[in-house]
């Protein structure tokens, strides 16, 4: 009898695919114009620390250097507790891996005044560390209030529809 492959359900956790950190603050403070998925150049202790689920993207941003490479800065990946003297610095610059066409496109997009590059999420995909970066434009205070008001209106409409459907049943 041939072995039958087990089908994966949505509830099965794959250790090679999971989100480590989300930058919810970026979605509040910025309007996201475009998104890109980039690989990260990490040391061994950084990967082990990320696998433990520890990272913070709150103060993070990305910037180009003189040679045209994109670097992720101010992202906090804490030191690995079981690391030795080869442990990494928590807030060091980390190189982002993107295609040359993507780098050129991103550099043109951030030439516009008010645009910046912010990390949106840090995750593992097929065992490799990836970061989702976004080209973002800062929101003003009234924009933030407008977005919050729209979310509340949508939530109230959903609540009313659910109540009405319950009454009809």
């Amino acid at each position: 009898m041939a072995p039958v492959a087990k089908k994966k359900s949505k509830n099965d956790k794959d250790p090679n695919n999971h989100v480590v950190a989300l930058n919810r603050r970026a979605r509040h403070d910025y309007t996201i114009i475009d998104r890109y998925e980039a690989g990260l150049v990490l040391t061994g202790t950084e990967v082990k620390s990320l696998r433990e689920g520890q990272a913070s993207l709150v103060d993070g941003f990305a910037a180009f250097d003189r040679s045209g490479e994109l670097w992720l800065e101010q992202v906090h990946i804490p030191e690995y507790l079981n690391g030795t003297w080869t442990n990494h610095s928590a807030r060091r610059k980390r190189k982002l891996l993107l295609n040359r066409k993507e780098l050129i496109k991103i550099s043109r997009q951030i030439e516009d005044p008010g645009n910046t590059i912010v990390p949106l999420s840090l995750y593992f995909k097929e065992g490799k560390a990836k970061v989702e970066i976004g080209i973002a434009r800062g929101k003003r205070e009234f924009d933030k209030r407008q977005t919050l008001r729209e979310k509340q209106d949508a939530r109230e409409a959903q609540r009313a529809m659910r109540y009405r459907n319950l009454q009809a049943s």
Side-chain angles (χ1 to χ4, degrees):
M1 181 161 208
V4 178
K6 184 181 172 190
K7 214 174 175 184
K8 284 190 176 182
S9 69
K10 291 182 180 180
N11 295 334
D12 289 346
K13 293 277 185 175
D14 187 2
N16 291 328
N17 297 327
H18 70 279
V19 176
V20 176
L22 289 173
N23 191 354
R24 294 170 56 199
R25 185 90 182 148
R27 299 180 202 289
H28 180 263
D29 290 341
Y30 299 99
T31 301
I32 308 300
I33 299 168
D34 206 357
R35 297 167 192 253
Y36 297 93
E37 180 182 77
L40 278 169
V41 177
L42 299 172
T43 63
T45 55
E46 286 174 324
V47 174
K48 288 181 179 185
S49 185
L50 286 177
R51 291 220 183 266
E52 290 180 348
Q54 301 176 351
S56 174
L57 301 173
V58 175
D59 298 329
F61 65 96
F64 284 96
D65 66 353
R66 292 182 185 176
S67 63
E69 295 177 339
L70 192 59
W71 293 83
L72 189 63
E73 301 183 32
Q74 295 299 318
V75 170
H76 185 265
I77 299 175
E79 289 185 356
Y80 183 58
L81 295 176
N82 298 325
T84 60
W85 57 274
T86 59
N87 225 334
H88 65 277
S89 173
R91 290 199 182 265
R92 74 176 190 90
K93 289 172 59 171
R94 294 166 180 95
K95 187 175 177 181
L96 293 176
L97 303 173
L98 289 160
N99 294 333
R100 178 61 55 191
K101 288 180 183 179
E102 291 175 328
L103 289 172
I104 292 169
K105 188 175 178 182
I106 291 171
S107 66
R108 288 189 182 141
Q109 286 179 325
I110 64 167
E111 286 175 356
D112 294 340
N115 286 359
T116 187
I117 307 169
V118 293
L120 302 174
S121 64
L122 183 63
Y123 54 92
F124 283 98
K125 183 177 182 182
E126 297 174 4
K128 299 198 178 7
K130 304 281 185 178
V131 64
E132 181 183 25
I133 58 172
I135 308 298
R137 175 174 285 125
K139 285 185 185 177
R140 295 196 176 124
E141 197 62 38
F142 65 87
D143 290 335
K144 294 177 189 177
R145 284 194 297 265
Q146 180 67 27
T147 304
L148 184 62
R149 194 173 302 119
E150 289 171 0
K151 283 183 182 178
Q152 285 177 337
D153 290 345
R155 199 175 303 130
E156 288 176 11
Q158 190 70 24
R159 206 175 286 138
M161 291 294 289
R162 185 174 39 219
Y163 181 73
R164 185 174 177 183
N165 288 339
L166 288 174
Q167 294 299 323
S169 295

